[in-house]
Amino acid sequence: MNTNLYKRSRLMYILEAAIEYLISILVAGTYLATITKELGISDTLTGIISSFISLGCVFQLFAMLIKRGNTKRTVLILSVLNQLLFMSLYIVPLSDGAKNVKTALFIIIILLAYFFYNIAHPKKIDWFMSLVDNEKRGIFTAKKEMVSLIAGMGFSFAMGAIVDHYKAIGDIRTAFIIGAIVIFVLMLLHTVTMLLTVQKPNDHISLSKKIDLASILKDKNILRITIVFVLWHIATYCATPYYGTYQIEELGFSQVFVAVLSVIYAVARVSFSFVWGKYADKQSFAKMLRLCFAVAAIGFFINTFCVPDNGKIFFTMYYVCYAIAMGGINSALINLCYDYVAEEKRADALAISLAVAGVFGFLSTLAVSPLVTYIQSNQNTFLGMNIYAQQVLSAISFIITVITIFYVSVSLVKIKKISSK
């Protein structure tokens, strides 16, 4: 196949990831919290809804049923469905009906949206990453993240200013209409990038070859990788689903300040993405992941002391640490499958790891939700101390992240990588 087509496809991959990132901004964090607040949904339920991102990973198991030859068409269809449902989240608050009905509809839509997203995700990653040279995966991933984050900076400012403006004049409904339109336009652009991306022929892997699920479950390297995914999801979903409401409620951040945080986040993440990428290409993604987790742990520790009086400073410090860490974590977790799993098992290994981790992530959010309700119902008091629920959750995430660092050191750092063709 023409090498120019591969070059164009890699460019499309970068653009596809950037557009998908912009859509994700509008359906998470403070934007999601703004919608749920309009619907009258509590902080506890908002946190649980936010964790649907994690629960949705269970649906990645369905990706194992997608045949290699059908990958592009299937991923395209599922992506369009996913993004149309995301657009619908902004329409629900505009509809007539009882509060309970709209809340139920909102939950059904977001769950379906992540259902379609997660079925497509492993195969899409396998499709796009097959177009990247194994020796350049670290640097390529860094470039891809850089473009996404730079695009996200301006996008967050623009959308944040729109939401704040209409909220200030008491017309939040118009902001929701604009949000829905923006997602629809981004969906069209996202679809074009995927149409222009070629699917690499599987010359050395038979399309009819079926991978035995038992062999995947018995693979010790896949088990090790899955445990890392699980631990990180537990650490993340104990606290981060509750940060959205914390920012706009207790800490009192405006959407514009949240946009400023997004810029700071992007600058910090971009600045370290290339550093992490070069380090991973020279050393290993396991070693890079260990360092990233250490920075994330520092961030959670800082957020343990974040209160309204110091919120803008301490939450910013946490966010910078989290940004630096995430500059390598997502890419490292995916690339563990490329370092330690046989090629024909990679997509399925990623699906299983994300699915199992997703369950644990969602259960983690559910497990801490009574704690959030208890602390808030007791006027932010816990064990005789005046403390916010999110501070306690940050402390829990810190402890679990430290445990994850030790596990990576023991289980993966010294394991020999599988050679790639």
Side-chain angles (χ1 to χ4, degrees):
M1 186 177 288
N2 193 328
T3 55
N4 288 330
L5 289 179
Y6 286 147
K7 185 176 181 180
R8 185 194 71 189
S9 295
R10 287 191 289 271
L11 174 61
M12 289 301 106
Y13 183 17
I14 291 173
L15 294 176
E16 180 274 336
I19 295 169
E20 188 174 76
Y21 176 64
L22 299 185
I23 294 174
S24 72
I25 289 174
L26 292 179
V27 293
T30 55
Y31 291 97
L32 183 66
T34 299
I35 300 174
T36 58
K37 183 180 179 182
E38 181 67 16
L39 292 172
I41 297 174
S42 68
D43 287 4
T44 300
L45 184 54
T46 296
I48 294 172
I49 291 172
S50 298
S51 69
F52 280 168
I53 299 172
S54 175
L55 181 63
C57 291
V58 175
F59 304 130
Q60 297 205 11
L61 292 176
F62 288 94
M64 298 173 67
L65 302 177
I66 300 175
K67 296 180 180 179
R68 288 180 176 271
N70 296 331
T71 297
K72 181 174 180 176
R73 182 182 63 186
T74 305
V75 170
L76 255 170
I77 294 171
L78 292 174
S79 295
V80 170
L81 290 173
N82 153 247
Q83 289 159 9
L84 284 174
L85 287 166
F86 277 154
M87 181 186 73
S88 300
L89 294 177
Y90 279 84
I91 298 175
V92 172
L94 306 176
S95 62
D96 295 326
K99 171 188 170 183
N100 291 342
V101 173
K102 291 197 288 187
T103 298
L105 182 60
F106 182 86
I107 293 173
I108 292 170
I109 289 174
I110 197 170
L111 189 57
L112 279 175
Y114 281 111
F115 172 75
F116 291 127
Y117 172 83
N118 284 287
I119 293 177
H121 186 66
K123 295 299 182 182
K124 187 189 75 172
I125 293 296
D126 194 43
W127 164 23
F128 281 118
M129 287 300 290
S130 69
L131 303 169
V132 182
D133 293 337
N134 285 315
E135 296 77 17
K136 299 179 180 179
R137 281 187 280 117
I139 292 298
F140 178 84
T141 304
K143 290 179 181 178
K144 177 168 64 72
E145 288 214 344
M146 180 187 70
V147 173
S148 295
L149 292 167
I150 291 175
M153 284 192 284
F155 184 77
S156 294
F157 258 120
M159 293 305 298
I162 289 171
V163 172
D164 277 349
H165 169 71
Y166 286 105
K167 187 184 292 185
I169 64 175
D171 188 18
I172 193 66
R173 294 170 68 88
T174 298
F176 291 153
I177 293 172
I178 294 172
I181 293 172
V182 169
I183 291 178
F184 182 76
V185 173
L186 290 173
M187 179 201 73
L188 295 178
L189 295 174
H190 184 263
T191 302
V192 170
T193 63
M194 299 182 81
L195 287 171
L196 293 176
T197 302
V198 299
Q199 185 175 354
K200 189 175 183 179
N202 298 285
D203 297 328
H204 54 282
I205 300 177
S206 170
L207 295 181
S208 62
K209 182 176 181 179
K210 294 183 179 179
I211 305 303
D212 182 15
L213 179 60
S215 69
I216 294 176
L217 297 177
K218 291 178 182 178
D219 191 311
K220 292 183 179 179
N221 283 355
I222 294 177
L223 176 61
R224 293 186 181 102
I225 292 169
T226 300
I227 292 174
V228 175
F229 271 77
V230 167
L231 289 172
W232 175 241
H233 272 64
I234 292 174
T236 303
Y237 283 92
C238 274
T240 57
Y242 297 97
Y243 286 166
T245 55
Y246 195 47
Q247 292 175 70
I248 64 175
E249 293 292 336
E250 288 86 352
L251 299 181
F253 294 169
S254 67
Q255 288 289 356
V256 170
F257 182 74
V258 172
V260 171
L261 283 176
S262 297
V263 172
I264 295 172
Y265 177 94
V267 171
R269 185 162 171 172
V270 167
S271 299
F272 277 82
S273 288
F274 280 98
V275 175
W276 293 134
K278 289 180 180 179
Y279 181 83
D281 286 338
K282 289 182 179 180
Q283 299 294 325
S284 72
F285 282 96
K287 290 182 179 179
M288 184 257 275
L289 189 60
R290 180 173 58 181
L291 292 176
C292 291
F293 283 153
V295 178
I298 294 172
F300 286 129
F301 182 76
I302 291 172
N303 226 23
T304 302
F305 304 96
C306 180
V307 295
D309 289 342
N310 61 29
K312 288 188 174 180
I313 296 175
F314 274 56
F315 197 86
T316 300
M317 291 170 63
Y318 149 75
Y319 217 39
V320 169
C321 289
Y322 191 70
I324 292 172
M326 293 305 295
I329 288 176
N330 282 345
S331 119
L333 287 173
I334 291 172
N335 279 290
L336 288 179
C337 294
Y338 285 80
D339 279 350
Y340 302 110
V341 179
E343 186 170 2
E344 68 273 10
K345 296 180 180 180
R346 287 171 182 168
D348 292 340
L350 180 61
I352 290 174
S353 295
L354 284 169
V356 175
V359 172
F360 279 90
F362 182 71
L363 291 177
S364 299
T365 304
L366 287 181
V368 299
S369 63
L371 179 61
V372 174
T373 301
Y374 172 79
I375 294 174
Q376 292 183 340
S377 63
N378 282 277
Q379 290 74 50
N380 298 315
T381 301
F382 182 66
L383 298 179
M385 300 180 290
N386 291 324
I387 193 168
Y388 290 97
Q390 286 83 353
Q391 291 179 267
V392 177
L393 301 183
S394 296
I396 295 172
S397 292
F398 166 72
I399 294 170
I400 297 172
T401 304
V402 171
I403 293 172
T404 308
I405 294 169
F406 282 109
Y407 181 79
V408 171
S409 299
V410 172
S411 67
L412 285 177
V413 168
K414 296 181 181 180
I415 301 297
K416 184 178 180 181
K417 295 191 291 185
I418 289 179
S419 59
S420 301
K421 294 185 180 181

Coordinates of all heavy atoms in Angstrom, one line a residue, residues 15 38 45 68 70 106 126 132 149 154 158 187 223-224 244-245 297 306 319 335 350:
L15 N -5.7 14.1 14.3 CA -6.9 14.9 14.3 C -8.1 14.3 14.9 O -8.9 14.9 15.6 CB -7.2 15.3 12.8 CG -6.2 16.2 12.1 CD1 -6.6 16.4 10.7 CD2 -6.0 17.5 12.8
E38 N -28.6 21.4 36.7 CA -29.8 21.9 36.1 C -31.0 20.9 36.3 O -32.1 21.3 36.4 CB -29.6 22.3 34.6 CG -30.8 22.8 33.9 CD -31.2 24.2 34.4 OE1 -30.4 24.9 35.1 OE2 -32.3 24.6 34.0
L45 N -25.1 11.4 43.3 CA -25.5 10.8 42.1 C -24.7 11.3 40.9 O -24.4 10.5 40.0 CB -27.0 11.0 41.8 CG -27.6 10.3 40.6 CD1 -27.3 8.8 40.6 CD2 -29.1 10.6 40.5
R68 N -11.9 -8.8 12.5 CA -10.9 -7.9 12.0 C -11.3 -7.2 10.7 O -11.1 -6.0 10.5 CB -9.5 -8.6 11.8 CG -8.8 -9.0 13.1 CD -7.5 -9.7 12.8 NE -6.8 -9.9 14.1 CZ -6.0 -9.1 14.7 NH1 -5.7 -7.9 14.1 NH2 -5.4 -9.4 15.8
N70 N -14.1 -6.3 9.7 CA -15.2 -5.4 9.8 C -14.9 -4.2 10.7 O -15.7 -3.4 11.0 CB -16.4 -6.1 10.4 CG -16.9 -7.2 9.5 OD1 -16.8 -7.1 8.3 ND2 -17.5 -8.2 10.1
F106 N -31.6 10.9 31.3 CA -30.2 11.3 31.2 C -29.3 10.2 31.5 O -28.3 9.9 30.8 CB -30.0 12.4 32.2 CG -28.6 13.0 32.2 CD1 -28.2 14.0 31.4 CD2 -27.6 12.5 33.1 CE1 -27.0 14.6 31.4 CE2 -26.3 13.1 33.1 CZ -26.0 14.1 32.3
D126 N -6.4 -0.5 18.2 CA -5.6 -1.5 17.4 C -5.5 -1.1 16.0 O -4.4 -1.2 15.4 CB -6.3 -2.8 17.6 CG -5.4 -4.0 17.1 OD1 -4.2 -4.0 17.5 OD2 -5.9 -4.9 16.4
V132 N 1.4 2.9 13.2 CA 2.6 3.5 13.8 C 3.7 2.6 14.0 O 3.5 1.4 14.5 CB 2.2 4.2 15.2 CG1 3.4 4.9 15.8 CG2 1.0 5.1 15.0
L149 N -4.4 18.6 23.3 CA -4.4 19.5 24.5 C -4.3 21.0 24.1 O -5.0 21.8 24.7 CB -3.2 19.2 25.4 CG -3.3 17.8 26.1 CD1 -2.0 17.4 26.8 CD2 -4.4 17.9 27.2
G154 N -8.0 26.4 23.8 CA -8.8 27.4 23.2 C -10.3 27.0 23.3 O -11.2 27.9 23.6
A158 N -13.4 29.1 25.2 CA -14.6 29.6 24.4 C -15.8 29.0 25.0 O -16.8 29.8 25.3 CB -14.4 29.1 23.0
M187 N -18.9 15.9 15.7 CA -19.1 14.6 15.2 C -18.9 14.4 13.7 O -18.3 13.4 13.3 CB -20.6 14.2 15.6 CG -21.0 12.8 15.2 SD -22.7 12.6 15.0 CE -23.1 13.5 13.5
L223 N -2.6 -10.8 32.8 CA -3.1 -10.7 34.2 C -2.4 -9.6 34.9 O -3.0 -8.7 35.6 CB -2.9 -12.0 35.0 CG -3.2 -12.0 36.4 CD1 -4.7 -11.7 36.6 CD2 -2.9 -13.4 37.1
R224 N -1.1 -9.5 34.8 CA -0.3 -8.4 35.4 C -0.7 -7.0 35.0 O -0.9 -6.1 35.8 CB 1.2 -8.6 35.1 CG 1.9 -9.8 35.7 CD 3.4 -9.8 35.5 NE 4.0 -11.0 36.1 CZ 4.4 -12.0 35.3 NH1 4.2 -12.0 34.0 NH2 5.0 -13.1 35.9
G244 N -15.8 17.4 40.0 CA -16.5 18.4 39.2 C -17.4 19.3 40.0 O -17.4 20.5 39.9
T245 N -18.3 18.6 40.8 CA -19.2 19.4 41.7 C -18.4 20.1 42.8 O -18.8 21.2 43.2 CB -20.2 18.4 42.4 OG1 -19.5 17.4 43.1 CG2 -21.1 17.8 41.4
A297 N 0.4 10.5 42.6 CA 0.3 10.4 44.1 C 0.5 11.7 44.8 O -0.2 12.0 45.8 CB 1.2 9.3 44.6
C306 N -7.0 20.6 50.2 CA -7.6 21.6 49.4 C -9.0 22.0 50.0 O -9.9 21.1 50.1 CB -7.8 21.1 47.9 SG -8.6 22.3 46.8
Y319 N -3.8 19.8 40.0 CA -4.1 19.6 38.6 C -2.9 19.6 37.8 O -2.8 18.9 36.8 CB -5.0 20.8 38.2 CG -6.1 20.4 37.2 CD1 -6.7 19.2 37.3 CD2 -6.5 21.2 36.1 CE1 -7.7 18.8 36.4 CE2 -7.4 20.9 35.2 CZ -8.1 19.6 35.3 OH -9.0 19.3 34.4
N335 N 0.1 1.0 25.9 CA 1.4 0.4 25.3 C 1.9 -0.8 26.1 O 2.8 -1.5 25.6 CB 2.4 1.5 25.1 CG 2.2 2.3 23.9 OD1 2.4 1.8 22.8 ND2 1.8 3.6 24.0
L350 N -6.5 -5.6 25.7 CA -6.8 -4.3 26.1 C -8.3 -4.2 26.5 O -8.7 -3.6 27.5 CB -6.6 -3.3 25.0 CG -6.9 -1.8 25.2 CD1 -6.1 -1.3 26.4 CD2 -6.7 -1.0 23.9

